[in-house]
Amino acid sequence: TRQIVTSLGVGQETFITEASHGTRYVVGNSAVATVTADGLIRAVGPGETTVTVIYGHGEEVIAVKVEPPPSP
């Protein structure tokens, strides 16, 4: 799992990660990963997808790559 940290401001000091701040997260392919309302990404299966972070009128697309675990 990975937590997306979303922030605003010149020094990126205002954190708006949580859904209660109005931030939304949308995953492109839920067979590869899921994302919670508060931006926690969880791997589901190998592959590549995107997570779009939306706040107000802005959005950012994050590339996500899930690799299979290494062989023992």
Side-chain angles (χ1 to χ4, degrees):
T1 61
R2 295 282 190 242
Q3 177 66 52
I4 298 172
V5 177
T6 307
S7 59
L8 293 173
V10 175
Q12 303 291 303
E13 69 279 353
T14 304
F15 295 97
I16 55 164
T17 300
E18 298 173 8
S20 62
H21 295 127
T23 305
R24 295 185 303 145
Y25 302 92
V26 180
V27 69
N29 184 349
S30 60
V32 175
T34 60
V35 64
T36 67
D38 291 325
L40 183 65
I41 301 172
R42 289 193 173 98
V44 176
E48 295 182 19
T49 189
T50 58
V51 173
T52 304
V53 182
I54 303 167
Y55 180 79
H57 296 290
E59 69 178 56
E60 183 73 28
V61 178
I62 301 168
V64 176
K65 182 176 184 179
V66 176
E67 296 184 356
S71 300

